[in-house]
Amino acid sequence: MMEGILFAEFDHIVGPKISWQIGRKEGKEENLVTSEIFEAIHEYIITKPNLCGRLMKLNEFGLQIMGFPILLEDSKYPRNYFLFNLCFIFQSNATGHHSSSSLSSVYEKNLRKLAHLLKSIEKEREFVSNAETRPQFYEMLEQIFFQLNKNGECSIQLDHANIITMRLIPNLPLLLSIGEHDVPVIIQDLDPQIAKDWDLSVQQVIFYSYSNESTIS
């Protein structure tokens, strides 16, 4: 499960800063990424320009922080650029069925997709940087966090032209290699009327059930 979402940006007055965090330490009011932690790792969150546009993972302080820093260069911004990073946060010492690495990898595609969408709508209408749309932006992040954790997917309509759809698709285990001596076994009754419409290769397997792979091929 994702522990939190962090949005950080470069402020032309104060420098790198956390604008919002969603999610807190279990049973505490304390943010997952404290000011002390951010001070120690901010160079990996608000990165150098040559690292922008890349998926980055940082494992520190018991957390795995996965981000995709975005840099936009335009004279309309202070200092002629806008640099921000939306990060997903996980426990780096996760135990049980999924390690933190395999767990966060399920979120990678969604984070890339979200980062590119934010870049696009920031270019179109300054959705990320504009003070008037910031409340909507924060609400969107809350919905993403709670819907992904609760349902494993989310669908959020931003405006008439942009909709965010995300789904967590688990990494499936690699298929085992099949030896010539292996035998397919039917483990439940099959309706012949349904099976006749299946792939021809599957029909062959059903027809030769209990024969070894060499015979079937």
Side-chain angles (χ1 to χ4, degrees):
M1 187 174 81
M2 179 166 52
E3 298 293 330
I5 292 179
L6 177 149
F7 177 75
E9 61 189 315
F10 184 87
D11 184 280
H12 73 284
I13 296 175
V14 302
K17 72 171 188 177
I18 297 175
S19 296
W20 302 313
Q21 282 193 70
I22 299 168
R24 295 182 182 275
K25 291 183 178 179
E26 186 176 354
K28 298 182 180 180
E29 290 299 314
E30 187 177 298
N31 287 325
L32 288 165
V33 179
T34 63
S35 57
E36 292 79 12
I37 291 176
F38 186 70
E39 181 64 27
I41 66 172
H42 74 265
E43 291 183 350
Y44 303 99
I45 305 297
I46 301 301
T47 65
K48 300 296 184 184
N50 62 315
L51 294 177
C52 291
R54 302 181 184 184
L55 185 75
M56 299 184 65
K57 293 182 182 179
L58 174 67
N59 285 284
E60 286 289 351
F61 302 100
L63 301 172
Q64 182 178 96
I65 302 173
M66 181 171 65
F68 198 97
I70 295 292
L71 173 66
L72 294 171
E73 297 179 294
D74 197 298
S75 59
K76 66 185 177 182
Y77 299 119
R79 302 197 187 189
N80 298 321
Y81 71 90
F82 178 41
L83 199 165
F84 66 91
N85 196 351
L86 179 66
C87 303
F88 291 168
I89 305 174
F90 309 89
Q91 292 289 345
S92 65
N93 58 348
T95 58
H97 184 66
H98 295 289
S99 68
S100 61
S101 178
S102 63
L103 175 63
S104 65
S105 66
V106 176
Y107 290 80
E108 288 179 6
K109 182 178 179 180
N110 290 293
L111 181 58
R112 284 193 181 96
K113 178 180 179 180
L114 182 56
H116 285 301
L117 175 61
L118 292 177
K119 180 178 180 179
S120 176
I121 57 179
E122 171 62 22
K123 285 183 175 180
E124 289 174 4
R125 58 187 183 96
E126 301 176 13
F127 177 77
V128 179
S129 62
N130 192 322
E132 293 184 0
T133 53
R134 283 256 166 154
Q136 184 186 2
F137 181 30
Y138 179 79
E139 182 181 349
M140 177 199 78
L141 297 182
E142 281 193 318
Q143 291 181 50
I144 290 173
F145 176 69
F146 290 113
Q147 289 185 29
L148 284 182
N149 276 346
K150 181 180 179 181
N151 307 317
E153 61 183 356
C154 69
S155 180
I156 302 166
Q157 186 80 44
L158 289 181
D159 53 37
H160 69 283
N162 294 290
I163 184 171
I164 297 174
T165 56
M166 303 171 69
R167 176 173 294 179
L168 303 179
I169 301 176
N171 297 318
L172 299 177
L174 295 176
L175 296 177
L176 298 176
S177 59
I178 300 175
E180 292 186 355
H181 61 281
D182 289 326
V183 176
V185 177
I186 297 176
I187 59 174
Q188 67 180 49
D189 294 333
L190 299 173
D191 187 338
Q193 290 301 113
I194 297 177
K196 71 181 179 63
D197 295 323
W198 287 357
D199 181 271
L200 292 177
S201 298
V202 176
Q203 292 188 46
Q204 285 291 95
V205 171
I206 295 172
F207 180 77
Y208 285 105
S209 182
Y210 298 101
S211 298
N212 61 38
E213 182 63 25
S214 179
T215 303
I216 296 174
S217 60

